[in-house]
Coordinates of all heavy atoms in Angstrom, one line a residue:
M1 N 91.0 43.9 -48.7 CA 90.2 43.6 -49.9 C 88.7 43.7 -49.5 O 88.3 43.4 -48.4 CB 90.5 42.2 -50.3 CG 91.9 42.1 -51.0 SD 92.2 40.6 -51.9 CE 92.2 39.4 -50.7
S2 N 87.9 44.0 -50.5 CA 86.5 44.2 -50.4 C 85.8 43.5 -51.5 O 86.4 42.9 -52.4 CB 86.1 45.7 -50.4 OG 86.8 46.4 -49.4
T3 N 84.5 43.5 -51.5 CA 83.7 43.0 -52.5 C 82.6 44.0 -53.0 O 82.3 44.9 -52.2 CB 82.9 41.7 -52.1 OG1 82.1 42.0 -51.0 CG2 83.9 40.6 -51.7
L4 N 82.1 43.9 -54.2 CA 81.1 44.7 -54.8 C 79.7 44.2 -54.4 O 79.6 43.0 -54.2 CB 81.2 44.8 -56.3 CG 82.5 45.5 -56.8 CD1 82.6 45.3 -58.3 CD2 82.5 46.9 -56.5
P5 N 78.7 45.0 -54.3 CA 77.4 44.5 -54.0 C 76.9 43.6 -55.2 O 77.2 43.9 -56.3 CB 76.5 45.8 -54.0 CG 77.4 46.9 -53.8 CD 78.8 46.5 -54.3
I6 N 76.2 42.6 -54.8 CA 75.7 41.6 -55.8 C 74.6 42.3 -56.6 O 73.8 43.1 -56.0 CB 75.1 40.4 -55.1 CG1 76.3 39.6 -54.5 CG2 74.3 39.5 -56.1 CD1 75.9 38.4 -53.7
G7 N 74.6 42.2 -57.9 CA 73.7 42.8 -58.8 C 74.3 43.0 -60.2 O 75.4 42.7 -60.4
T8 N 73.5 43.7 -61.0 CA 73.9 44.0 -62.4 C 74.4 45.4 -62.5 O 73.7 46.3 -62.1 CB 72.7 43.7 -63.4 OG1 72.3 42.4 -63.2 CG2 73.0 44.0 -64.8
Y9 N 75.5 45.5 -63.2 CA 76.1 46.8 -63.4 C 75.9 47.2 -64.9 O 76.4 46.4 -65.8 CB 77.6 46.9 -63.1 CG 77.8 46.9 -61.6 CD1 77.6 45.7 -60.8 CD2 78.1 48.0 -60.9 CE1 77.8 45.7 -59.5 CE2 78.3 48.0 -59.5 CZ 78.1 46.9 -58.8 OH 78.3 46.8 -57.5
T10 N 75.3 48.3 -65.2 CA 75.0 48.8 -66.6 C 76.1 49.8 -66.8 O 76.3 50.7 -66.0 CB 73.6 49.4 -66.7 OG1 72.7 48.3 -66.4 CG2 73.4 49.8 -68.1
C11 N 76.7 49.7 -68.0 CA 77.8 50.7 -68.3 C 77.4 51.6 -69.5 O 76.7 51.2 -70.4 CB 79.1 49.9 -68.7 SG 79.7 48.8 -67.3
E12 N 77.9 52.8 -69.4 CA 77.5 53.8 -70.4 C 78.6 54.8 -70.6 O 79.4 55.0 -69.7 CB 76.2 54.5 -70.1 CG 76.2 55.3 -68.9 CD 74.9 56.0 -68.6 OE1 73.9 55.6 -69.1 OE2 74.9 56.9 -67.8
L13 N 78.6 55.5 -71.8 CA 79.4 56.6 -72.0 C 78.6 57.9 -71.8 O 77.3 57.8 -72.0 CB 80.0 56.6 -73.4 CG 81.0 55.4 -73.7 CD1 81.3 55.3 -75.2 CD2 82.2 55.6 -72.9
P14 N 79.2 59.0 -71.5 CA 78.3 60.2 -71.2 C 77.6 60.7 -72.5 O 78.1 60.4 -73.6 CB 79.3 61.2 -70.7 CG 80.7 60.7 -71.1 CD 80.6 59.2 -71.3
G15 N 76.5 61.4 -72.3 CA 75.8 62.0 -73.4 C 76.5 63.3 -73.8 O 77.6 63.5 -73.4
D16 N 75.8 64.1 -74.6 CA 76.4 65.3 -75.0 C 75.7 66.5 -74.4 O 74.7 66.4 -73.7 CB 76.4 65.4 -76.6 CG 75.0 65.4 -77.2 OD1 74.1 65.9 -76.5 OD2 74.8 64.8 -78.2
A17 N 76.2 67.7 -74.6 CA 75.7 68.9 -74.0 C 74.3 69.2 -74.5 O 73.6 70.0 -73.8 CB 76.7 70.1 -74.2
G18 N 73.9 68.7 -75.6 CA 72.6 68.9 -76.2 C 71.5 68.2 -75.4 O 70.3 68.3 -75.8
G19 N 71.8 67.5 -74.4 CA 70.8 66.8 -73.6 C 70.6 65.4 -73.9 O 69.8 64.7 -73.3
A20 N 71.4 64.8 -74.8 CA 71.2 63.4 -75.1 C 71.7 62.6 -73.9 O 72.6 62.9 -73.2 CB 72.1 63.0 -76.3
P21 N 70.9 61.5 -73.6 CA 71.3 60.7 -72.5 C 72.6 59.9 -72.7 O 73.1 59.9 -73.9 CB 70.1 59.7 -72.3 CG 69.5 59.6 -73.7 CD 69.8 61.0 -74.3
G22 N 73.1 59.3 -71.7 CA 74.3 58.5 -71.9 C 74.1 57.4 -72.9 O 72.9 56.9 -73.1
K23 N 75.1 56.9 -73.6 CA 75.1 55.9 -74.6 C 75.4 54.6 -73.9 O 76.6 54.4 -73.4 CB 76.0 56.2 -75.7 CG 76.0 55.1 -76.8 CD 77.1 55.4 -77.8 CE 77.1 54.3 -78.8 NZ 78.3 54.2 -79.6
L24 N 74.5 53.6 -73.9 CA 74.7 52.3 -73.2 C 75.9 51.6 -74.0 O 76.0 51.7 -75.2 CB 73.5 51.5 -73.2 CG 72.4 51.9 -72.3 CD1 71.2 51.0 -72.4 CD2 72.9 51.9 -70.8
V25 N 76.7 50.9 -73.2 CA 77.7 50.0 -73.8 C 77.5 48.6 -73.3 O 78.1 48.2 -72.3 CB 79.1 50.6 -73.3 CG1 80.2 49.8 -74.1 CG2 79.3 52.1 -73.5
P26 N 76.5 47.9 -73.9 CA 76.0 46.6 -73.4 C 77.1 45.6 -73.3 O 77.0 44.7 -72.5 CB 74.9 46.2 -74.4 CG 75.1 47.1 -75.6 CD 75.8 48.3 -75.1
E27 N 78.2 45.7 -74.2 CA 79.2 44.7 -74.1 C 80.0 44.7 -72.8 O 80.8 43.8 -72.5 CB 80.1 44.8 -75.3 CG 80.9 46.1 -75.5 CD 80.1 47.1 -76.3 OE1 78.9 47.1 -76.4 OE2 80.8 48.0 -76.8
Y28 N 79.9 45.8 -72.1 CA 80.6 45.9 -70.8 C 79.7 45.6 -69.6 O 80.2 45.5 -68.4 CB 81.2 47.2 -70.6 CG 82.5 47.4 -71.4 CD1 82.6 48.0 -72.6 CD2 83.7 46.9 -70.8 CE1 83.8 48.1 -73.3 CE2 84.9 47.0 -71.5 CZ 84.9 47.6 -72.8 OH 86.1 47.7 -73.4
E29 N 78.4 45.4 -69.8 CA 77.5 45.0 -68.7 C 78.0 43.8 -68.0 O 78.5 42.8 -68.6 CB 76.1 44.8 -69.2 CG 75.1 44.5 -68.1 CD 73.7 44.4 -68.6 OE1 73.2 45.4 -69.0 OE2 73.1 43.3 -68.5
F30 N 77.9 43.7 -66.7 CA 78.3 42.5 -65.9 C 77.4 42.4 -64.7 O 76.8 43.4 -64.2 CB 79.8 42.6 -65.5 CG 80.2 43.7 -64.7 CD1 80.2 43.6 -63.3 CD2 80.6 44.9 -65.2 CE1 80.6 44.7 -62.5 CE2 81.0 46.0 -64.4 CZ 81.0 45.8 -63.1
R31 N 77.4 41.2 -64.1 CA 76.6 40.9 -62.9 C 77.5 40.3 -61.9 O 78.2 39.3 -62.1 CB 75.5 40.0 -63.3 CG 74.6 39.7 -62.1 CD 73.3 38.9 -62.6 NE 73.6 37.8 -63.5 CZ 73.7 36.5 -63.0 NH1 73.5 36.2 -61.8 NH2 73.9 35.5 -63.9
I32 N 77.6 40.9 -60.7 CA 78.3 40.3 -59.6 C 77.5 39.2 -59.0 O 76.3 39.4 -58.7 CB 78.6 41.4 -58.5 CG1 79.4 42.5 -59.0 CG2 79.3 40.7 -57.3 CD1 80.8 42.2 -59.6
V33 N 78.0 38.0 -59.0 CA 77.2 36.8 -58.6 C 77.6 36.3 -57.2 O 76.8 35.6 -56.6 CB 77.4 35.6 -59.6 CG1 76.7 36.0 -60.9 CG2 78.8 35.2 -59.8
N34 N 78.8 36.6 -56.7 CA 79.1 36.3 -55.3 C 80.3 37.2 -54.9 O 80.7 38.1 -55.7 CB 79.3 34.8 -55.0 CG 80.5 34.2 -55.7 OD1 81.5 34.9 -55.9 ND2 80.5 32.9 -56.0
S35 N 80.9 36.8 -53.8 CA 81.9 37.7 -53.2 C 83.0 38.2 -54.2 O 83.4 39.3 -54.1 CB 82.6 37.1 -52.0 OG 83.2 35.8 -52.4
S36 N 83.5 37.4 -55.1 CA 84.6 37.8 -55.9 C 84.4 37.3 -57.4 O 85.4 37.2 -58.1 CB 86.0 37.3 -55.4 OG 86.0 35.9 -55.3
S37 N 83.2 37.0 -57.8 CA 82.9 36.5 -59.1 C 81.9 37.4 -59.8 O 81.0 37.9 -59.2 CB 82.4 35.1 -59.1 OG 83.4 34.2 -58.6
Y38 N 82.0 37.5 -61.1 CA 81.1 38.2 -61.9 C 80.7 37.3 -63.2 O 81.5 36.4 -63.5 CB 81.6 39.6 -62.4 CG 82.7 39.5 -63.4 CD1 82.3 39.7 -64.8 CD2 84.0 39.3 -63.1 CE1 83.3 39.6 -65.8 CE2 85.0 39.2 -64.1 CZ 84.6 39.4 -65.4 OH 85.6 39.3 -66.4
K39 N 79.7 37.7 -63.8 CA 79.3 37.0 -65.1 C 79.0 38.1 -66.1 O 78.4 39.1 -65.9 CB 78.0 36.2 -64.9 CG 78.1 34.9 -65.5 CD 76.9 34.0 -65.1 CE 77.2 32.6 -65.4 NZ 76.1 31.7 -65.1
A40 N 79.6 37.9 -67.3 CA 79.4 38.8 -68.4 C 79.3 38.0 -69.7 O 80.2 37.1 -69.9 CB 80.5 39.8 -68.5
G41 N 78.3 38.2 -70.5 CA 78.1 37.4 -71.7 C 78.1 35.9 -71.5 O 78.6 35.2 -72.4
G42 N 77.6 35.5 -70.4 CA 77.5 34.1 -70.1 C 78.8 33.4 -69.6 O 78.8 32.2 -69.4
I43 N 79.8 34.2 -69.4 CA 81.1 33.7 -69.0 C 81.4 34.2 -67.6 O 81.2 35.4 -67.3 CB 82.2 34.2 -69.9 CG1 82.0 33.8 -71.4 CG2 83.6 33.8 -69.4 CD1 82.8 34.4 -72.4
R44 N 81.7 33.3 -66.7 CA 82.0 33.6 -65.3 C 83.5 34.1 -65.2 O 84.4 33.5 -65.9 CB 81.8 32.4 -64.4 CG 81.8 32.8 -63.0 CD 81.4 31.5 -62.2 NE 81.3 31.8 -60.8 CZ 80.1 31.8 -60.1 NH1 79.0 31.5 -60.8 NH2 80.0 32.1 -58.9
G45 N 83.7 35.1 -64.4 CA 85.1 35.6 -64.2 C 85.3 36.0 -62.8 O 84.4 35.9 -62.0
S46 N 86.5 36.4 -62.5 CA 86.8 36.9 -61.1 C 87.3 38.3 -61.1 O 87.7 38.8 -62.1 CB 87.8 35.9 -60.5 OG 89.0 35.9 -61.3
Y47 N 87.2 38.9 -59.9 CA 87.7 40.3 -59.8 C 88.4 40.5 -58.5 O 88.2 39.7 -57.5 CB 86.6 41.3 -60.0 CG 85.6 41.4 -58.8 CD1 85.8 42.3 -57.8 CD2 84.5 40.6 -58.8 CE1 84.9 42.3 -56.7 CE2 83.6 40.6 -57.7 CZ 83.8 41.5 -56.7 OH 83.0 41.5 -55.7
L48 N 89.3 41.5 -58.4 CA 90.0 41.8 -57.2 C 89.6 43.2 -56.8 O 89.7 44.1 -57.7 CB 91.5 41.6 -57.4 CG 92.4 41.9 -56.2 CD1 92.1 40.9 -55.1 CD2 93.9 41.8 -56.7
F49 N 89.2 43.5 -55.6 CA 88.8 44.8 -55.2 C 89.7 45.2 -54.0 O 89.5 44.7 -52.9 CB 87.3 44.8 -54.9 CG 86.7 46.1 -54.4 CD1 87.4 47.3 -54.6 CD2 85.5 46.1 -53.9 CE1 86.8 48.5 -54.2 CE2 84.9 47.3 -53.5 CZ 85.5 48.5 -53.6
V50 N 90.6 46.2 -54.2 CA 91.5 46.6 -53.2 C 91.5 48.1 -53.1 O 91.6 48.8 -54.2 CB 93.0 46.1 -53.4 CG1 93.9 46.6 -52.3 CG2 93.0 44.6 -53.5
G51 N 91.2 48.7 -51.9 CA 91.1 50.1 -51.8 C 89.9 50.6 -52.6 O 88.8 50.2 -52.3
D52 N 90.1 51.5 -53.6 CA 89.0 51.9 -54.4 C 89.2 51.5 -55.8 O 88.5 52.0 -56.8 CB 88.9 53.5 -54.3 CG 90.1 54.2 -54.9 OD1 91.1 53.5 -55.3 OD2 90.1 55.5 -54.9
R53 N 90.0 50.4 -56.1 CA 90.2 49.9 -57.4 C 89.7 48.5 -57.6 O 90.0 47.6 -56.7 CB 91.7 49.9 -57.7 CG 92.3 51.3 -57.7 CD 91.8 52.2 -58.8 NE 92.2 53.6 -58.6 CZ 92.4 54.4 -59.6 NH1 92.1 54.1 -60.8 NH2 92.8 55.7 -59.3
V54 N 89.0 48.2 -58.7 CA 88.5 46.9 -59.0 C 89.2 46.5 -60.3 O 89.3 47.3 -61.3 CB 87.0 46.9 -59.3 CG1 86.5 45.6 -59.7 CG2 86.2 47.4 -58.0
T55 N 89.8 45.3 -60.3 CA 90.5 44.8 -61.5 C 89.8 43.4 -61.8 O 89.8 42.5 -61.0 CB 92.0 44.6 -61.2 OG1 92.6 45.8 -60.8 CG2 92.7 44.1 -62.5
M56 N 89.4 43.3 -63.0 CA 88.8 42.0 -63.5 C 90.0 41.1 -63.8 O 90.8 41.5 -64.7 CB 87.9 42.2 -64.7 CG 86.8 43.2 -64.5 SD 85.7 42.7 -63.1 CE 84.3 43.7 -63.4
T57 N 90.1 40.0 -63.1 CA 91.3 39.2 -63.2 C 91.1 37.9 -64.0 O 92.0 37.2 -64.3 CB 91.8 38.7 -61.8 OG1 90.7 38.1 -61.1 CG2 92.3 40.0 -61.0
G58 N 89.8 37.7 -64.5 CA 89.5 36.6 -65.3 C 88.2 36.8 -66.0 O 87.5 37.7 -65.7
G59 N 87.9 35.9 -67.0 CA 86.6 36.1 -67.7 C 86.6 37.0 -68.8 O 87.7 37.5 -69.3
K60 N 85.4 37.4 -69.3 CA 85.3 38.2 -70.5 C 86.0 39.6 -70.3 O 86.5 40.1 -71.3 CB 83.8 38.4 -70.7 CG 83.5 39.3 -72.0 CD 82.0 39.4 -72.2 CE 81.8 40.4 -73.4 NZ 80.4 40.6 -73.6
H61 N 85.9 40.2 -69.1 CA 86.5 41.5 -69.0 C 87.9 41.5 -68.3 O 88.3 42.5 -67.7 CB 85.5 42.4 -68.1 CG 84.2 42.6 -68.7 ND1 84.0 42.9 -70.1 CD2 83.0 42.6 -68.2 CE1 82.8 43.1 -70.3 NE2 82.1 42.9 -69.2
K62 N 88.6 40.4 -68.4 CA 89.9 40.3 -67.8 C 90.8 41.5 -68.3 O 90.8 41.8 -69.4 CB 90.6 39.0 -68.3 CG 92.0 38.8 -67.7 CD 92.6 37.5 -68.0 CE 94.0 37.4 -67.4 NZ 94.6 36.1 -67.7
G63 N 91.4 42.2 -67.3 CA 92.2 43.3 -67.5 C 91.5 44.6 -67.3 O 92.2 45.7 -67.2
L64 N 90.2 44.6 -67.3 CA 89.4 45.9 -67.1 C 89.7 46.4 -65.7 O 89.6 45.6 -64.7 CB 87.9 45.6 -67.4 CG 87.0 46.8 -67.1 CD1 87.2 47.9 -68.1 CD2 85.5 46.4 -67.2
K65 N 90.0 47.7 -65.6 CA 90.2 48.3 -64.3 C 89.1 49.4 -64.1 O 88.8 50.2 -65.0 CB 91.6 48.9 -64.2 CG 92.6 47.8 -64.3 CD 94.0 48.4 -64.2 CE 95.0 47.2 -64.3 NZ 96.3 47.6 -64.3
L66 N 88.6 49.4 -62.9 CA 87.5 50.3 -62.5 C 87.9 51.1 -61.2 O 88.5 50.5 -60.3 CB 86.2 49.6 -62.4 CG 85.7 48.8 -63.6 CD1 84.7 47.8 -63.2 CD2 85.2 49.8 -64.6
H67 N 87.5 52.3 -61.1 CA 87.6 53.1 -59.9 C 86.3 53.2 -59.2 O 85.3 53.7 -59.8 CB 88.2 54.5 -60.3 CG 88.3 55.4 -59.2 ND1 88.3 56.8 -59.4 CD2 88.4 55.3 -57.8 CE1 88.4 57.4 -58.2 NE2 88.5 56.5 -57.3
R68 N 86.2 52.8 -58.0 CA 84.9 52.9 -57.2 C 84.8 54.3 -56.7 O 85.5 54.8 -55.9 CB 84.9 51.9 -56.1 CG 83.5 51.9 -55.4 CD 83.5 50.9 -54.2 NE 82.2 50.8 -53.7 CZ 82.0 50.2 -52.5 NH1 82.9 49.6 -51.9 NH2 80.7 50.2 -52.1
I69 N 83.7 55.0 -57.3 CA 83.5 56.4 -56.9 C 82.5 56.4 -55.6 O 82.7 57.2 -54.7 CB 82.8 57.1 -58.0 CG1 83.7 57.1 -59.3 CG2 82.5 58.6 -57.7 CD1 85.0 57.7 -59.2
S70 N 81.5 55.5 -55.6 CA 80.6 55.4 -54.5 C 80.2 53.9 -54.5 O 80.6 53.1 -55.3 CB 79.4 56.3 -54.6 OG 78.6 55.9 -55.7
S71 N 79.3 53.5 -53.5 CA 79.0 52.1 -53.4 C 78.3 51.5 -54.6 O 78.4 50.3 -54.8 CB 78.0 52.0 -52.2 OG 76.8 52.7 -52.4
N72 N 77.7 52.3 -55.5 CA 77.0 51.8 -56.6 C 77.5 52.4 -58.0 O 76.9 52.2 -59.0 CB 75.5 52.1 -56.5 CG 74.9 51.4 -55.3 OD1 75.3 50.3 -54.9 ND2 73.8 52.0 -54.8
F73 N 78.6 53.0 -57.9 CA 79.1 53.8 -59.1 C 80.6 53.5 -59.3 O 81.4 53.7 -58.4 CB 78.9 55.3 -58.9 CG 79.2 56.1 -60.0 CD1 78.4 56.4 -61.1 CD2 80.5 56.8 -60.1 CE1 78.7 57.2 -62.2 CE2 80.8 57.6 -61.1 CZ 80.0 57.8 -62.2
L74 N 80.9 53.0 -60.5 CA 82.3 52.7 -60.9 C 82.7 53.5 -62.2 O 81.8 53.8 -63.0 CB 82.5 51.2 -61.2 CG 82.0 50.3 -60.1 CD1 81.9 48.8 -60.7 CD2 83.0 50.3 -58.9
R75 N 83.9 53.9 -62.3 CA 84.4 54.5 -63.5 C 85.6 53.8 -64.1 O 86.5 53.4 -63.3 CB 84.7 56.0 -63.3 CG 85.0 56.7 -64.6 CD 85.1 58.2 -64.4 NE 83.9 58.9 -64.0 CZ 82.9 59.2 -64.8 NH1 82.9 59.0 -66.1 NH2 81.9 59.9 -64.3
Q76 N 85.6 53.6 -65.4 CA 86.7 52.9 -66.0 C 88.0 53.6 -65.8 O 88.0 54.9 -65.8 CB 86.5 52.7 -67.5 CG 87.5 51.9 -68.2 CD 87.3 51.8 -69.7 OE1 86.5 52.5 -70.3 NE2 87.9 50.8 -70.3
V77 N 89.1 52.9 -65.6 CA 90.4 53.5 -65.4 C 91.2 53.3 -66.7 O 91.3 52.2 -67.3 CB 91.2 52.8 -64.2 CG1 92.6 53.4 -64.1 CG2 90.4 53.0 -62.9
K78 N 91.7 54.4 -67.2 CA 92.5 54.3 -68.5 C 93.9 53.8 -68.2 O 94.3 53.6 -67.1 CB 92.6 55.8 -69.1 CG 91.2 56.3 -69.4 CD 91.3 57.6 -70.2 CE 92.2 58.7 -69.7 NZ 92.1 60.0 -70.4
D79 N 94.6 53.5 -69.3 CA 95.9 52.9 -69.1 C 96.9 53.8 -68.4 O 97.8 53.3 -67.7 CB 96.5 52.6 -70.5 CG 95.8 51.4 -71.2 OD1 95.1 50.6 -70.5 OD2 95.9 51.3 -72.5
D80 N 96.7 55.1 -68.4 CA 97.6 56.0 -67.7 C 97.2 56.2 -66.2 O 97.8 57.0 -65.5 CB 97.6 57.4 -68.4 CG 96.3 58.1 -68.4 OD1 95.3 57.7 -67.8 OD2 96.2 59.2 -69.0
G81 N 96.1 55.4 -65.8 CA 95.7 55.5 -64.4 C 94.6 56.5 -64.1 O 94.1 56.5 -62.9
R82 N 94.3 57.4 -65.0 CA 93.3 58.4 -64.8 C 91.9 57.8 -65.1 O 91.8 56.8 -65.8 CB 93.5 59.6 -65.6 CG 94.8 60.4 -65.3 CD 94.9 61.6 -66.1 NE 95.1 61.3 -67.5 CZ 94.6 62.0 -68.5 NH1 93.9 63.2 -68.2 NH2 94.7 61.7 -69.7
D83 N 90.9 58.4 -64.5 CA 89.5 57.9 -64.8 C 89.2 58.2 -66.2 O 89.5 59.3 -66.8 CB 88.5 58.7 -63.9 CG 88.5 58.2 -62.5 OD1 89.2 57.2 -62.2 OD2 87.8 58.8 -61.6
G84 N 88.5 57.2 -66.9 CA 88.0 57.4 -68.2 C 86.6 57.9 -68.3 O 86.0 58.2 -67.2
E85 N 86.0 57.8 -69.5 CA 84.6 58.3 -69.6 C 83.6 57.3 -69.3 O 82.5 57.7 -68.8 CB 84.4 58.7 -71.1 CG 85.1 60.0 -71.5 CD 84.7 60.5 -72.9 OE1 84.2 59.7 -73.6 OE2 85.0 61.6 -73.2
M86 N 83.8 56.0 -69.5 CA 82.8 55.0 -69.2 C 82.5 54.9 -67.7 O 83.5 54.8 -66.9 CB 83.2 53.6 -69.8 CG 82.1 52.6 -69.7 SD 82.4 51.1 -70.5 CE 83.6 50.3 -69.4
R87 N 81.3 54.8 -67.4 CA 80.8 54.6 -66.0 C 79.9 53.4 -66.0 O 79.2 53.1 -66.9 CB 80.1 55.8 -65.5 CG 79.0 56.3 -66.4 CD 78.5 57.7 -66.0 NE 77.4 58.1 -66.9 CZ 77.5 59.2 -67.6 NH1 78.5 60.0 -67.5 NH2 76.5 59.5 -68.4
C88 N 80.0 52.7 -64.8 CA 79.2 51.5 -64.6 C 78.4 51.7 -63.3 O 79.0 52.0 -62.3 CB 80.0 50.2 -64.6 SG 80.9 49.9 -66.1
V89 N 77.1 51.5 -63.4 CA 76.2 51.8 -62.2 C 75.4 50.5 -61.9 O 74.9 49.9 -62.8 CB 75.3 53.0 -62.6 CG1 74.3 53.2 -61.4 CG2 76.0 54.2 -63.0
L90 N 75.4 50.3 -60.6 CA 74.6 49.1 -60.1 C 73.1 49.5 -60.5 O 72.5 50.4 -59.9 CB 74.8 48.9 -58.6 CG 74.0 47.8 -58.0 CD1 74.3 46.4 -58.6 CD2 74.2 47.8 -56.5
S91 N 72.5 48.8 -61.4 CA 71.2 49.1 -61.9 C 70.1 48.1 -61.4 O 68.9 48.5 -61.4 CB 71.2 49.1 -63.4 OG 71.6 47.9 -63.9
A92 N 70.5 47.0 -60.9 CA 69.5 46.0 -60.4 C 70.2 45.1 -59.4 O 71.3 44.5 -59.6 CB 69.0 45.1 -61.5
H93 N 69.6 45.1 -58.2 CA 70.1 44.2 -57.1 C 69.5 42.8 -57.4 O 68.3 42.7 -57.7 CB 69.7 44.7 -55.7 CG 70.3 45.9 -55.3 ND1 71.6 45.9 -54.7 CD2 70.0 47.2 -55.4 CE1 71.9 47.2 -54.4 NE2 71.0 48.0 -54.9
N94 N 70.3 41.8 -57.2 CA 69.8 40.4 -57.4 C 69.6 39.7 -56.1 O 70.1 40.0 -55.2 CB 70.7 39.6 -58.3 CG 70.9 40.2 -59.7 OD1 70.3 41.2 -60.0 ND2 71.6 39.5 -60.5

């Protein structure tokens, strides 16, 4: 088991081919507050990080699954286990 770096993760959907930037998804933003806890929308929750998969096990995002692509980059995992479009990036270290 591992932990994510402490800080705020900003989530977005990709932009379009016309050059539009990514579309922020503020309702998915979260902040890692210690080794296995996060805060989102003022609610504290917990997460489990095993291998390259992060699963929110409590709190506002309970059930959300993420694939760690790199140390500061996560991608939402769809119900079928494949990577989805939403990405979450460590945007601020606390």
Side-chain angles (χ1 to χ4, degrees):
M1 288 196 289
S2 299
T3 58
L4 294 171
I6 292 175
T8 300
Y9 287 77
T10 302
C11 300
E12 65 180 16
L13 293 169
D16 61 36
K23 179 185 175 199
L24 290 177
V25 188
E27 61 269 23
Y28 280 98
E29 182 177 294
F30 61 93
R31 182 170 48 97
I32 300 299
V33 294
N34 69 27
S35 59
S36 61
S37 295
Y38 74 96
K39 223 173 195 181
I43 300 168
R44 193 178 187 108
S46 55
Y47 71 92
L48 182 63
F49 181 13
V50 178
D52 63 357
R53 301 293 172 152
V54 176
T55 302
M56 302 303 195
T57 56
K60 180 179 178 185
H61 297 318
K62 182 177 181 177
L64 176 65
K65 294 180 181 177
L66 302 161
H67 175 201
R68 184 179 186 193
I69 305 298
S70 69
S71 62
N72 299 329
F73 183 85
L74 307 166
R75 187 167 296 277
Q76 182 179 18
V77 176
K78 298 189 309 185
D79 290 340
D80 66 5
R82 293 183 299 144
D83 286 355
E85 289 187 344
M86 188 175 74
R87 54 191 176 236
C88 299
V89 178
L90 180 61
S91 58
H93 291 275
N94 296 4

